[in-house]
Amino acid sequence: MRAKKGNVLNLGLPKGSLQEATLHLFRKAGFNINVGSRSYVPTIDDPELSGLLIRAQEMARYVQDGILDMGLTGRDWVLEQNAKVKEVCPLLYARGGLRPVRWVVAVPNDSPIQRIRDLQGKRVATELVQFTRRYLKKKGVEAQVEFSWGATEVKAPRLADAIVELTETGSSLRANNLRIVETILESTTVLIANREAWKDPWKREKIGNIALLLQGALRAEETVGLKMNVGRGDLDRILKVLPAMQNPTISTLSEAGWFSLEVIVDQKIVRDLIPVLKKEGASGIVEYPLNKVIP
């Protein structure tokens, strides 16, 4: 749907730990976004987009209230604020890579706390206050949950009996002599939209197109393209060892009895796959990066 003159979509981009990963993802999706060192208003090479840098913790509230039409934040912060927004799609990336993050209950290694119910009457420090309170209440546990302004790992045991903290690998917790008792939430980045904006046909189509391109860019982060030449006598063997998202593209070369094959494969298997392809008769093998993969 063509935009009416002056139609603009207000986009919230997460400032902080997700910022660089998000800008990289948008670049791969085809949007060049530039952010000044002290600016909260980025420039975007799409006149239909107006951007604003907002802390991920606050994003869902501004989208819910219609100040922003759409934004990217963690599902954890949507749940923390119990925000009434439209979740358009998940986007599986975080500051450390393409994987979810976890909110965990952690205690000092020598703590007697072994299970969630052992938090009864204890003091818990976290940034995820409201969700933690609801989680403990659901488990039948009454505990004093306090907001932590940061450096949460150092608060147990002197300032709190336990913490609820965000982790990707658990290495920071281990470095602070903490052990995980339980994971209470697994979260990933989500693209969210204001519910009224989602009802507007032009905004809905614009948001949907952005979601499509971002998801395509994410798929491309984990895949590469492969091209190779294959003789007729080796073709069946190559096809048997060649994984692909779909059937490979096979083109006839000018030289009789030779074919060109092109496929998209998981980047993690390429280092093992290429020697096998070479052994089975493939030649002229070329690996190339991808910007977007749209199924």
Side-chain angles (χ1 to χ4, degrees), residues 103-150:
W103 284 92
V104 299
V105 175
V107 297
N109 286 325
D110 59 358
S111 170
I113 296 172
Q114 299 293 330
R115 297 159 293 186
I116 284 291
R117 65 184 182 209
D118 296 336
L119 294 175
Q120 180 70 29
K122 304 296 185 183
R123 178 176 294 177
V124 180
T126 183
E127 287 185 74
L128 201 72
V129 173
Q130 300 305 323
F131 181 87
T132 301
R133 286 173 178 165
R134 294 197 301 269
Y135 184 87
L136 293 178
K137 183 178 180 180
K138 185 178 178 181
K139 295 288 185 176
V141 174
E142 292 185 12
Q144 183 179 346
V145 182
E146 300 178 343
F147 180 75
S148 172
W149 289 96

Side-chain angles (χ1 to χ4, degrees), residues 3-272:
K4 298 178 183 178
K5 187 176 180 181
N7 265 6
V8 173
L9 192 75
N10 293 309
L11 165 66
L13 297 164
K15 183 172 179 61
S17 61
L18 279 177
Q19 181 175 327
E20 288 307 313
T22 300
L23 297 182
H24 169 74
L25 181 62
F26 268 86
R27 281 193 294 271
K28 290 202 69 168
F31 300 91
N32 290 312
I33 302 176
N34 295 307
V35 181
S37 60
R38 297 185 179 182
S39 175
Y40 286 80
V41 182
T43 59
I44 307 175
D45 66 344
D46 183 341
E48 296 175 355
L49 289 178
S50 175
L52 193 64
L53 283 172
I54 297 289
R55 299 289 298 185
Q57 295 91 326
E58 302 177 284
M59 187 74 71
R61 176 164 56 91
Y62 291 120
V63 173
Q64 172 189 271
D65 295 345
I67 298 169
L68 298 169
D69 295 311
M70 62 176 287
L72 291 89
T73 186
R75 182 177 285 119
D76 45 2
W77 299 117
V78 177
L79 294 173
E80 169 69 3
Q81 296 177 10
N82 205 18
K84 304 300 186 287
V85 295
K86 165 69 179 178
E87 183 177 316
V88 179
C89 66
L91 296 167
L92 188 57
Y93 75 96
R95 58 186 173 186
L98 304 177
R99 56 175 176 254
V101 295
R102 296 180 297 150
W103 284 92
V104 299
V105 175
V107 297
N109 286 325
D110 59 358
S111 170
I113 296 172
Q114 299 293 330
R115 297 159 293 186
I116 284 291
R117 65 184 182 209
D118 296 336
L119 294 175
Q120 180 70 29
K122 304 296 185 183
R123 178 176 294 177
V124 180
T126 183
E127 287 185 74
L128 201 72
V129 173
Q130 300 305 323
F131 181 87
T132 301
R133 286 173 178 165
R134 294 197 301 269
Y135 184 87
L136 293 178
K137 183 178 180 180
K138 185 178 178 181
K139 295 288 185 176
V141 174
E142 292 185 12
Q144 183 179 346
V145 182
E146 300 178 343
F147 180 75
S148 172
W149 289 96
T152 308
E153 295 99 328
V154 305
K155 295 189 174 178
R158 295 181 65 184
L159 302 177
D161 299 294
I163 65 170
V164 172
E165 180 65 328
L166 185 67
T167 184
E168 291 187 51
T169 64
S171 59
S172 179
L173 296 174
R174 291 191 293 271
N176 284 278
N177 297 312
L178 299 171
R179 58 179 167 83
I180 295 173
V181 174
E182 184 172 317
T183 297
I184 68 169
L185 176 64
E186 195 169 88
S187 177
T188 187
T189 307
V190 289
L191 178 64
I192 58 174
N194 173 265
R195 289 182 174 182
E196 290 303 313
W198 189 249
K199 294 176 183 178
D200 179 279
W202 178 81
K203 288 184 177 181
R204 181 168 181 159
E205 182 173 1
K206 183 72 174 179
I207 294 169
N209 288 342
I210 293 171
L212 176 71
L213 294 171
L214 291 175
Q215 289 176 303
L218 267 180
R219 291 188 193 97
E221 287 282 300
E222 298 180 299
T223 54
V224 295
L226 281 181
K227 288 182 179 180
M228 68 204 74
N229 297 328
V230 180
R232 186 184 302 278
D234 301 319
L235 185 59
D236 288 341
R237 291 199 312 276
I238 294 292
L239 291 176
K240 287 180 181 178
V241 301
L242 196 61
M245 292 180 63
Q246 298 175 343
N247 292 329
T249 300
I250 305 176
S251 304
T252 304
L253 297 178
S254 58
E255 185 176 348
W258 282 87
F259 301 90
S260 174
L261 267 65
E262 189 166 357
V263 292
I264 295 173
V265 298
D266 191 323
Q267 188 177 35
K268 292 182 292 188
I269 69 169
V270 169
R271 67 182 185 187
D272 297 321

